[in-house]
Amino acid sequence: MSFQHGIVFRVLRGLATLVYRLAWPIVILSLALAAASVILAARHLTFTGNPNDLLRSDASYHQQYLKYTREVRAEEDYAIVVCGPDFERNKACVNFIAEKLQQRSDLFKKIFYRVDFGELTDRGLLYLETDQLKQIEQGIGDFTKLLGKDDFQLDLNSLLSIASAKLDPKALRHEKDPTGLDQFVNDFVHSLDALADRLEGKATSKPVSFGNFIAEKAQLGDMDKERSLHEYLSFEQGRILIIQVPSPNIEASFGEHQYVIRPMKEIVDQARAQFPGLEIGLTGEPALSEDEALASTRDTTISSIVTFILIALLFWFSFREFSRPALALLTLMTAVCWTVGFTTLSVGRLNILSITFIPMILGLGIDFGIQILGRYEEELPKTADVITALTHTIMHTGNAIITGG
């Protein structure tokens, strides 16, 4: 039995005849199915940026990790980072952001950015080194001797009287610690400068008092600076400050972070406008996951558009016409829409890897259209019969395309 009288040929010829005669109903039905697929995907197809979805859910190591995240935290916290050269300005910016976050208590129930050391102020001696405590003890002893005198007053006459006693030749001969004398001279000169400033009415000078003398002797003046520096979450000597914001989500997918991230980004934008010159950013695992998802979606969209344009240009340069390449591109886009609808029904969501299927289908699927068109244009001049040309095209090239598809 010859090919043109075989059963396969008759079946394919019947299919080609049916497609030829019902061309418009088939096109309309295909486009309607494509539109339904797009609507279904828009309503139900989701995207997840969770990297856990890229691993086998039944793997033992992955099960142990998921168990750990459920017991501790499924997601890390958000972190708002403020970076600048001036610690005081960084601190003001952090306080501004913290105040704005606390106003949104419905989302940010608990934030962490500073530790209040106020209750430890009267316990500062507990945090000093042994040498500093010895200096305080020595200073208290010296002042105890001075305060034991009946005529002692903290004024210029008293200072001069003490200096005269310290610098007396008899006292100098019995002085065993010359460094102590040097320290006394330095303190004496400083006290004279302070009293002179007071007499001139300068309010910026330090008062000469018992407490200040001990503080300077023990270097307690640095404690306020250290307390201010370490009460905030700071790094690099206050050049970097961090606000930690716990995530209200236990586990979320793409889009479900936005209701938290969007107001935080608005507050960050307000802080940038209020404190120009500072580097302010939002980070943390949920924020990075969201950024990755947005970047994947954006890049996939751009690559799909670029791929489609390049395919259209390739068709135009190859066939030197518009109608049939346009129909092939329309068929390709219809197939993409069908694939999106099938993905929605069968899987229901995409991840940062599977979202790239659209440009891949565009690049690979256009081969089917090119081969069908090429074989059809080759068969049409031989038969001068559209149905026969379609039959031969489906019989020969169609088998390979169906196998490849």
Side-chain angles (χ1 to χ4, degrees):
M1 181 180 294
S2 65
F3 168 74
Q4 293 192 358
H5 296 87
I7 297 176
V8 175
F9 178 80
R10 289 199 297 269
V11 172
L12 293 176
R13 186 178 180 86
L15 178 61
T17 303
L18 180 64
V19 171
Y20 179 76
R21 292 178 178 175
L22 300 178
W24 281 110
I26 292 176
V27 170
I28 294 174
L29 180 62
S30 300
L31 294 177
L33 183 59
S37 299
V38 172
I39 295 174
L40 180 67
R43 293 181 178 180
H44 301 287
L45 184 63
T46 60
F47 183 92
T48 174
N50 192 344
N52 294 325
D53 293 335
L54 304 178
L55 304 175
R56 289 180 53 187
S57 59
D58 58 345
S60 59
Y61 63 89
H62 189 48
Q63 291 291 335
Q64 293 176 3
Y65 173 75
L66 293 178
K67 181 180 179 181
Y68 162 76
T69 57
R70 285 192 295 267
E71 291 180 356
V72 183
R73 275 193 69 85
E75 293 193 355
E76 296 291 338
D77 297 334
Y78 297 95
I80 298 177
V81 183
V82 177
C83 181
D86 185 5
F87 170 68
E88 293 299 329
R89 195 158 182 261
N90 296 343
K91 186 170 68 174
C93 180
V94 166
N95 291 333
F96 174 83
I97 295 175
E99 182 180 357
K100 294 293 183 180
L101 291 173
Q102 290 168 350
Q103 293 175 359
R104 295 297 306 272
S105 58
D106 55 323
L107 292 177
F108 314 114
K109 301 183 182 300
K110 186 178 181 181
I111 64 174
F112 178 58
Y113 68 101
R114 67 184 294 263
V115 178
D116 186 7
F117 292 117
E119 298 180 357
L120 303 178
T121 302
D122 57 350
R123 297 174 176 84
L125 295 178
L126 299 176
Y127 299 92
L128 293 180
E129 300 291 340
T130 303
D131 294 339
Q132 293 176 322
L133 293 175
K134 289 181 178 179
Q135 290 178 3
I136 292 177
E137 183 180 15
Q138 180 182 357
I140 292 176
D142 294 340
F143 271 93
T144 300
K145 295 177 182 179
L146 294 176
L147 293 175
K149 298 181 178 180
D150 296 334
D151 58 345
F152 176 78
Q153 292 182 356
L154 195 57
D155 53 17
L156 182 59
N157 292 330
S158 299
L159 287 174
L160 293 176
S161 175
I162 295 172
S164 176
K166 279 281 188 179
L167 299 176
D168 184 73
K170 295 181 180 180
L172 291 176
R173 285 195 295 268
H174 294 86
E175 182 65 44
K176 297 181 180 180
D177 184 12
T179 59
L181 179 61
D182 294 339
Q183 182 64 39
F184 167 77
V185 172
N186 292 333
D187 294 338
F188 174 70
V189 173
H190 173 73
S191 299
L192 287 179
D193 291 338
L195 287 175
D197 290 341
R198 183 182 299 176
L199 292 175
E200 294 177 3
K202 296 181 179 179
T204 57
S205 61
K206 293 183 179 180
V208 180
S209 65
F210 175 75
N212 281 340
F213 178 79
I214 295 179
E216 291 177 5
K217 292 280 289 183
Q219 298 178 353
L220 288 175
D222 295 335
M223 291 190 63
D224 289 337
K225 178 182 178 181
E226 293 296 323
R227 184 187 68 179
S228 177
L229 183 63
H230 292 292
E231 70 177 342
Y232 288 83
L233 300 180
S234 62
F235 302 91
E236 300 291 335
Q237 296 297 318
R239 288 189 290 270
I240 300 176
L241 272 66
I242 294 179
I243 302 176
Q244 191 174 3
V245 185
S247 172
N249 292 12
I250 298 178
E251 186 174 358
S253 62
F254 174 71
E256 297 178 8
H257 290 298
Q258 281 298 320
Y259 79 100
V260 180
I261 293 178
R262 187 178 297 109
M264 277 197 291
K265 287 186 175 180
E266 292 176 355
I267 293 175
V268 168
D269 291 338
Q270 295 176 14
R272 288 171 179 165
Q274 187 74 17
F275 298 90
L278 296 183
E279 297 182 26
I280 309 171
L282 174 64
T283 185
E285 184 175 346
L288 293 176
S289 175
E290 195 75 6
D291 289 342
E292 289 177 354
L294 292 174
S296 298
T297 305
R298 181 186 65 250
D299 294 344
T300 299
T301 302
I302 295 175
S303 61
S304 299
I305 295 174
V306 172
T307 302
F308 185 82
I309 293 175
L310 293 177
I311 290 173
L313 293 175
L314 175 64
F315 258 119
W316 186 83
F317 282 111
S318 299
F319 290 89
R320 297 293 181 177
E321 62 174 296
F322 177 78
S323 58
R324 279 181 288 187
L327 293 176
L329 292 174
L330 179 61
T331 303
L332 178 62
M333 292 306 301
T334 302
V336 171
C337 294
W338 289 0
T339 305
V340 172
F342 175 78
T343 303
T344 305
L345 293 176
S346 60
V347 181
R349 62 180 179 177
L350 301 173
N351 56 43
I352 57 177
L353 294 182
S354 59
I355 195 175
T356 59
F357 80 93
I358 293 181
M360 293 177 63
I361 289 180
L362 290 175
L364 296 174
I366 194 59
D367 293 343
F368 302 151
I370 292 175
Q371 295 176 24
I372 286 289
L373 276 178
R375 187 58 183 259
Y376 174 74
E377 289 192 347
E378 180 183 352
E379 294 292 340
L380 187 59
K382 297 179 182 179
T383 61
D385 180 6
V386 174
I387 296 179
T388 304
L390 286 175
T391 303
H392 288 175
T393 301
I394 295 175
M395 182 64 188
H396 298 286
T397 305
N399 286 338
I401 287 178
I402 291 174
T403 303

